[in-house]
Structure formats: structure tokens, C-alpha cells
Amino acid sequence: MDNKNQEEQPRFKPLIEAADHLSLGISIVVAVLMGVGIGWLLQRWTGVAWTMFIGVFIGIAAAILNVYKAYSKQYKEYEELAKERSERMKPHFDKDEDDEDYGEKNY
């Protein structure tokens, strides 16, 4: 029976999930580097040194936004999993059964 369960599960699912988590780390680095690049361009075009920090702050803000989006996605998946689990844990009653003496205790 274990072989059947293994066959039903996608083989590459753990690899895809790992790549998704890795892409979050890469996107943070890329966002900060792009912000530094924007700041460097601003500094070259304007000649004002502090414009470099504008780009850095833009990059950091973009990285924080990426983390927030990833958190929101994971939280949504967690809520769906918790809801699915609670649905499985509810007792199942047959609707065809007539409950006689519903209010009385029959021991």
C-alpha cells in the first residue's frame, strides 16, 4: 500500500517547493541589487551623493514586499490545510437514521 501512496504523490513536488523557497532568497538579493543600481544611476545622473540611498531604500522596500507576499501565500496555504484537516476531523453522521428520543438520555 505504501508503494501506491508514493506513486500517487507527485515525484517532483519537494523539488519544486525547495526551488520556490530558494527563489525567495534570490529575489531578495536581486531586489536589493536592483535598488543599488537605481541609486547608482540616480547618483550619476544628478551628481548628488545622497540619491544613492534612495535606490537602496527602494531595493530594501522591494525585498520586504517580496517577503510579505511569500508570507501571505504560505499563510493562505496553512489556513486551507487547517480547514481541510478540521473538516476531516468532524464526525460523520448518517442522515437516514432517525434519532428517537433526541432530548432524553438513554444509558
Side-chain angles (χ1 to χ4, degrees):
M1 183 172 270
D2 290 331
N3 292 336
K4 186 176 184 181
N5 289 338
Q6 288 177 352
E7 290 175 5
E8 291 175 4
Q9 295 178 351
R11 293 175 49 197
F12 297 108
K13 184 176 181 179
L15 182 63
I16 291 170
E17 288 176 354
D20 187 37
H21 296 300
L22 180 64
S23 70
L24 175 62
I26 291 171
S27 72
I28 291 171
V29 172
V30 169
V32 172
L33 288 178
M34 286 179 68
V36 169
I38 290 170
W40 181 76
L41 285 174
L42 285 173
Q43 184 179 5
R44 292 215 18 150
W45 287 343
T46 63
V48 181
W50 59 268
T51 56
M52 175 76 164
F53 292 109
I54 293 173
V56 171
F57 289 133
I58 290 172
I60 291 171
I64 290 170
L65 182 63
N66 287 340
V67 170
Y68 176 74
K69 286 180 180 179
Y71 170 77
S72 297
K73 179 181 174 185
Q74 290 294 323
Y75 189 75
K76 182 180 175 184
E77 289 178 7
Y78 168 75
E79 284 182 334
E80 289 174 2
L81 182 64
K83 182 179 178 183
E84 179 182 308
R85 185 169 186 256
S86 67
E87 290 294 325
R88 279 190 282 143
M89 298 302 286
K90 286 183 181 178
H92 299 285
F93 295 107
D94 292 333
K95 295 184 180 190
D96 294 333
E97 291 182 9
D98 291 328
D99 292 332
E100 295 179 13
D101 300 327
Y102 180 75
E104 295 180 19
K105 293 181 182 178
N106 295 325
Y107 294 112

